[in-house]
Amino acid sequence: MKGKFFTAAVVIAIAAFPVLANVSFESLDLNGEDQLLFTAKHEIPGTPVYQSLFMTRLGKNKTEDSPKIMTCFPEQMELLNGGKTLQLRNRYGTAWYDTNSRSLSWITSANRIPVEYTHTGVVSESPDGKWICFVRQTKNALGQLVLQNVLTQEQQVIVESTAFSYEKVPVKWAKDSACFLYEKNTSVYFLTPDAAFKNVQLPEEYRKIGKGTISCVEWTDRNELLYIDSDIIYRIRENELYTRGLYAALVGSGTIVGRLPAKFSPLRDRFWVSPDGQNLVLVTGDNLVSFYSIVTTGYDFVKINSIFPLNTIKGSPLDFDVYWTSEKKPVMWIALLNYSSGRKSSSVYRIGSSMELLLDVMSSAKPQLSPDKKQVAFTGGNSIYVYDVDSWKQVNRLSGESVISFVWASPSVLYVGGSKSVRLWNTDPLSASESVLFLTSVDEAYWSGGRVVARYGSENNYYAYDPLKNVWNKMSSQPEAELLHSEKNGRFRVFTGSAQNKRYRNAIYVRSLSRNVITYPVFPETDLVTPAPKKVAFAFDAMDNAEGLARVLYVIDEFDVPATFFLNGEFIRRYPTETNQIVSSGAECASSFYSTADLTEKHFVIDENFIKRGLARNEDEFFAATKHELSLLWHAPWYKDTPLMKRSGSDAGYRYVSAFTKYSDTSSFEGSARNVKTPYYDAGQIIDLLVGSLTDGMVIPVNVGKGYGTRQDYLFEKLDLLVSAILDSGYEIVSLREVVEE
């Protein structure tokens, strides 16, 4: 399979289904041996834009071989096999870079140009790189938890049905890779990979840690496990896991080492433990940070070092991480949606007697701790930085191109996957160096003296392709002749033209120059006639709660989703900062009246003036808070309306927007128990039902806050999965105004 492209199906953590994908072909160059170079550019929501380079040989009636891919984009990277293998995954498949032979080979690859919507998921690799866990998507929000042996590629399904996410895998590995923890049906279990593949593992009921989710457990560097059940903290040594599992009914879940001041919520709270297991940082409900120490064994309360409400940070929290200094002091990284810009940023705080702001970073990828835990790497702009954890001072910086992914190779060496290349970077300031291993994307490539040559970056650095190792080597000097594209030789002419298939922006055509003129597409599928995609739009409702707003704004920015927010007067009055955050994001802002009351209830007497005054009042509230005007779109609270309301709004200059409200997350466990006509659906079920009900021109409402009553989850928490599912179904997400005006 080395160096070949169209060989097998992609198998690891990639969702791929029909959708309109903006794929275009560029940079054609034909040599005298009938070999054609070209690039395929993908512009797919939620993924980086890049141009992959291909080579194929032309024949009389069709290409003579399958196109060979010559670049490898690092959408995701992992270090496997004890550091011997750098794994790269993207929409084309999975490739391995052998660090000893310095060669690149494709392990799995797509059987054609992937025009479907594809989003490369995450995996969880063991610390020694011998095992991988990932969730294989089976439904829009569900999948199978799979354990894979890296060397043999053998797989075992550990959990048949678990939550699917593009951001995390619900497992946590022990530091020695001997076992890992996973969640299933609101309980946490452990598993030994070796035993699982040898079929000598104990039944699952004897491997249960306790009730909860993966958020309830953390490993220490001593291969001990801390498990929180309600407000009780247990400590379990790795070598005690089987004993505890077998005799849990007699000996309990472990040694009790402390008690929290309040109950821990497995669904809403998170905690981090210091390497020695003596200190904890706990985040409660994304709005409270607590720093505790375990000082005794038993039911005594933990020592409270400090507690801080997150009311002074510069945005709405999206994610957290904690790093520990050599003195066991926590440093917290908070990814947030900036209030002023409406974009993702990050802030770093040292937690002690106060929360000391150390650094602000715009648009950073999740940081990674070095193997010796002394340094942390993170991105910002077109650079990657390395900071010392103790002092939080910059150690080094590498610039030159956008960083897509990165992974530590050793305490002072990083593999940096960028928009143009994968580089090996020695971060030590005394011996700092960088070298390009291979190219990930090219703008232009040429035939030059029988070789394929590409220019790297803005500088006049040229790289030549090594077909044996499938990598790129820096040329010692520039090519002697000027590099120019050729679109014909004595036998063929190549050109790009319109594609009949709407999934492509264009197509590559080959025309023979012999007496019998024949024209054919390089990819026959580009010439297939397909209908224009159907369209849907979102209506985001800001009613009286803003808990999901940051998540919604992040996802619509990540996926470039056209967004219209309907703001209620109650929301504007309660959340003026968040209202301005919506405005800063550039989204359209419309009206959902000045009150959240259901205006169709019998005790309301509604007339035309009431509706007009309510709309006018909402305009005034919005302008007072933002100094901007609402657009002239509106809908009644909860989309419950009457002909009089619609007519009154129209007389006031507004256009009414109706939405598909049959399936929503406004129902609760309590409400559904009282009324069987309002069944409860979790967020994953709602996504499945919505996607199954899609029609052309449909408006899908999403509430940006939590409702009243108890729910397991909310639609805004899985908005990325809803967006993906819509795209997977072949629909195009357009602006609400485009749907309404049609």
Side-chain angles (χ1 to χ4, degrees), residues 395-396 426-433:
V395 175
N396 212 334
N426 185 334
T427 67
D428 187 342
L430 299 178
S431 57
S433 63

Side-chain angles (χ1 to χ4, degrees), residues 65-270:
D65 55 15
S66 297
K68 175 183 178 180
I69 189 167
M70 306 167 73
T71 53
C72 185
F73 197 79
E75 290 188 30
Q76 300 281 355
M77 293 200 311
E78 299 85 30
L79 197 61
L80 307 177
N81 296 328
K84 298 177 182 178
T85 303
L86 177 65
Q87 177 170 276
L88 302 97
R89 295 179 295 116
N90 58 41
R91 65 191 55 139
Y92 290 106
T94 301
W96 281 5
Y97 178 78
D98 189 306
T99 59
N100 292 326
S101 65
R102 298 184 179 182
S103 60
L104 183 74
S105 57
W106 288 86
I107 305 304
T108 64
S109 53
N111 56 11
R112 54 187 171 80
I113 293 286
V115 295
E116 299 84 5
Y117 174 76
T118 55
H119 194 298
T120 306
V122 294
V123 302
S124 176
E125 67 273 23
S126 61
D128 62 8
K130 294 181 179 180
W131 313 95
I132 282 178
C133 278
F134 63 94
V135 177
R136 180 189 292 128
Q137 191 176 16
T138 55
K139 290 187 176 182
N140 292 311
L142 293 175
Q144 297 174 320
L145 179 62
V146 178
L147 171 67
Q148 178 171 304
N149 184 311
V150 169
L151 288 177
T152 66
Q153 300 289 291
E154 184 181 0
Q155 297 180 357
Q156 279 207 11
V157 175
I158 306 303
V159 180
E160 279 292 342
S161 182
T162 190
F164 176 79
S165 168
Y166 288 133
E167 298 170 349
K168 60 184 178 180
V169 179
V171 302
K172 291 182 179 178
W173 288 92
K175 306 304 177 182
D176 61 1
S177 303
C179 72
F180 67 91
L181 310 172
Y182 65 95
E183 66 176 75
K184 177 183 178 181
N185 298 332
T186 68
S187 292
V188 180
Y189 300 83
F190 71 90
L191 183 70
T192 304
D194 275 321
F197 279 97
K198 293 177 182 177
N199 294 319
V200 294
Q201 191 72 262
L202 282 176
E204 193 171 57
E205 61 186 288
Y206 298 115
R207 293 184 279 108
K208 184 176 178 178
I209 300 295
K211 293 183 179 180
T213 69
I214 201 68
S215 296
C216 296
V217 289
E218 278 292 343
W219 291 100
T220 72
D221 281 4
R222 299 175 178 177
N223 279 324
E224 294 176 334
L225 172 66
L226 287 192
Y227 161 58
I228 299 179
D229 182 12
S230 185
D231 60 339
I232 304 300
I233 306 172
Y234 296 88
R235 190 190 307 276
I236 308 172
R237 293 185 176 89
E238 185 182 4
N239 57 12
E240 297 175 340
L241 284 173
Y242 282 101
T243 303
R244 296 287 181 183
L246 286 169
Y247 302 104
L250 297 175
V251 301
S253 300
T255 302
I256 296 173
V257 295
R259 183 178 176 186
L260 296 172
K263 290 184 178 181
F264 181 88
S265 170
L267 294 176
R268 306 299 174 198
D269 300 342
R270 297 177 60 187

